[in-house]
Amino acid sequence: MILKEQLISVIYQAIDEVNAVLPPDQQLEKSIHTVLFGESGKLDSLGLVNMIVTTEQKIEENFGIAITLADEKAMSQRNSPFRTVESLAEYIPQLITERQHA
Amino acid sequence: MPEQVMLITGSGKGIGKYLAEYYSAKGYRVIGCSRSEVDFKLDNYRHFCLDVSDEKKVKEMFAEINRSFGRLDILVNNAGIASMNHVLLTPLETVHKILNTNVVGTFLFCREAAKLMRKNKSGRIVNFATVATPLKLEGEAIYASSKAAVVSLTEVLARELAQFGITVNAVGPTPVKTDLIRSVPPQKIEDLIRRQAIPRLGEFRDISNVIDFFIRPESDFVTGAVIYLGGV
Ligand SMILES: NC(=O)c1ccc[n+]([C@@H]2O[C@H](COP(=O)([O-])OP(=O)(O)OC[C@H]3O[C@@H](n4cnc5c(N)ncnc54)[C@H](OP(=O)(O)O)[C@@H]3O)[C@@H](O)[C@H]2O)c1
């Protein structure tokens, strides 16, 4: 069982990596409330792609689990799981569980 | 320059096997895959048994590539299947199989490869088209359409992946003697070859020559291109 705190710290690793290539005015803060996607977010569409893919790779590196974050469910949900760091951290366990039962 | 890591799909036999031999002899670290085990051994070569349209298996393989090599420089999407059949006699099952391998497989590998290549801000993807598409070959409706989809994928991904320094191109071979065309009647092949500007069977080296061009460092401004062989 992977804890939400562990996932948040993995997302923070991804933020560090993404920040390294973002201009100073677009830097993401390491907070659970940081908006990743949506009107008040700082990331442009490419930035979001980078953030999602980097998070996916960090999950794989840290837990040895290969998942696809941008699955159909995530892309079609009205409340996007990519909205904030916290919503993303809450979404990932669902994906891992589904994968184990697949 | 660090060792270049190249992934070739469908490397069990035919063109893919030749490419694995050719590039491993050239010093590339080659990773190959096919559904069945391989009966050959090569230096610098590692084989994975999987179906290219099986997302879970494919993702696990890419995770393993990342763990072992930490990079991927070149992807050659060679795995492909065909079926000669009049449209009125084509079972739906065949349609699904061809689309799954040729289109879904190519898509999945492009997506996962780009995630890895992105890290180095460079990469080369070479997809496989066929002259059956521009020649509008009768009896190959689904095969030709599946490869038309590969051409579109190549053209659009060339644009989407350019920002990561990844080029996406395709080679479109003419008939080459492999199991893929074993069941095509000789007369059909003859007729087809006569429609080429240069009427001869394709050789493996014709294909590696085009791939060599796409993957060389100087070709970093060549993307979204489809090169059909034989002057089709
Ligand atoms: N030969 C020609 O005349 C010709 C002309 C134009 C284009 N092409 C293209 O060239 C490429 C290679 O063709 P080829 O002639 O070398 O064919 P081939 O001799 O039949 O070899 C195909 C290879 O792909 C593998 N493969 C097929 N389906 C797969 C799947 N779902 N998942 C993983 N591996 C799979 C096969 O291994 P398993 O069966 O063990 O999986 C085999 O190793 C294809 O894309 C084809 O469309 C060939």
Side-chain angles (χ1 to χ4, degrees):
Chain A
M1 184 62 194
I2 299 169
L3 300 174
K4 185 171 162 187
E5 288 66 39
Q6 291 175 288
L7 286 170
I8 289 172
S9 94
V10 166
I11 297 170
Y12 287 171
Q13 289 176 26
I15 289 182
D16 280 335
E17 207 169 299
V18 169
N19 274 344
V21 294
L22 283 176
D25 60 319
Q26 284 176 31
Q27 295 285 307
L28 296 172
E29 199 191 324
K30 281 190 262 182
S31 142
I32 56 168
H33 304 299
T34 296
V35 177
L36 301 173
F37 174 64
E39 269 168 25
S40 48
K42 287 186 189 159
L43 292 173
D44 59 11
S45 58
L46 178 60
L48 181 68
V49 170
N50 262 327
M51 182 62 204
I52 292 172
V53 173
T54 306
T55 305
E56 207 175 280
Q57 277 165 348
K58 292 291 164 200
I59 291 169
E60 185 196 302
E61 281 165 24
N62 284 271
F63 310 118
I65 306 173
I67 54 169
T68 302
L69 280 178
D71 70 346
E72 190 149 352
K73 227 170 67 205
M75 304 317 277
S76 61
Q77 276 179 26
R78 179 127 28 107
N79 283 325
S80 167
F82 306 133
R83 219 166 359 102
T84 64
V85 168
E86 187 168 35
S87 65
L88 182 56
E90 284 167 355
Y91 182 62
I92 294 167
Q94 292 179 36
L95 280 180
I96 296 176
T97 319
E98 277 164 26
R99 183 184 166 277
Q100 280 157 351
H101 296 289
Chain B
M1 196 157 80
E3 184 178 54
Q4 296 270 297
V5 181
M6 175 187 268
L7 171 58
I8 302 171
T9 66
S11 53
K13 58 180 184 175
I15 299 167
K17 178 181 174 191
Y18 159 80
L19 292 174
E21 290 166 349
Y22 176 82
Y23 286 107
S24 90
K26 275 194 152 198
Y28 287 85
R29 163 69 61 171
V30 179
I31 300 147
C33 64
S34 62
R35 288 164 302 181
S36 30
E37 283 289 351
V38 290
D39 54 7
F40 58 86
K41 273 222 155 3
L42 274 177
D43 287 340
N44 287 331
Y45 179 81
R46 175 147 171 216
H47 195 82
F48 287 82
C49 278
L50 52 74
D51 187 310
V52 290
S53 64
D54 182 340
E55 183 177 28
K56 188 161 177 270
K57 287 266 169 57
V58 171
K59 284 202 69 105
E60 280 164 8
M61 182 190 69
F62 274 93
E64 179 55 30
I65 293 174
N66 192 23
R67 269 193 298 275
S68 305
F69 308 108
R71 62 186 295 135
L72 178 65
D73 302 285
I74 301 155
L75 164 66
V76 178
N77 267 317
N78 159 83
I81 53 173
S83 160
M84 254 319 256
N85 228 335
H86 190 280
V87 62
L88 300 185
L89 301 178
T90 302
L92 188 60
E93 183 62 25
T94 307
V95 177
H96 285 308
K97 274 193 191 143
I98 293 180
L99 292 179
N100 271 336
T101 298
N102 299 4
V103 185
V104 175
T106 300
F107 161 76
L108 256 183
F109 274 73
C110 285
R111 188 185 74 188
E112 295 307 315
K115 287 177 186 174
L116 259 182
M117 291 171 173
R118 186 185 69 100
K119 292 211 254 174
N120 293 327
K121 284 219 134 281
S122 88
R124 296 274 189 274
I125 296 177
V126 182
N127 291 330
F128 268 66
T130 169
V131 297
T133 305
L135 290 178
K136 303 165 180 54
L137 273 199
E138 291 158 58
E140 304 268 13
I142 297 307
Y143 177 61
S145 327
S146 75
K147 294 294 190 172
V150 170
V151 169
S152 279
L153 202 58
T154 302
E155 291 167 346
V156 178
L157 294 195
R159 289 170 173 268
E160 289 192 20
L161 299 180
Q163 58 205 343
F164 303 115
I166 301 169
T167 68
V168 191
N169 295 288
V171 55
T174 61
V176 180
K177 275 220 160 97
T178 66
D179 287 351
L180 191 93
I181 63 166
R182 213 181 30 190
S183 57
V184 181
Q187 191 53 47
K188 271 252 165 210
I189 303 279
E190 259 310 300
D191 292 348
L192 195 165
I193 286 177
R194 255 189 277 122
R195 295 172 66 189
Q196 298 167 191
I198 304 171
R200 68 158 167 85
L201 269 174
E203 303 278 348
F204 289 150
R205 64 175 168 82
D206 298 322
I207 297 164
S208 51
N209 178 46
V210 176
I211 299 178
D212 281 341
F213 166 67
F214 285 143
I215 67 177
R216 51 195 270 205
E218 296 81 358
S219 294
D220 59 353
F221 201 47
V222 178
T223 196
V226 183
I227 295 189
Y228 289 111
L229 286 161
V232 169

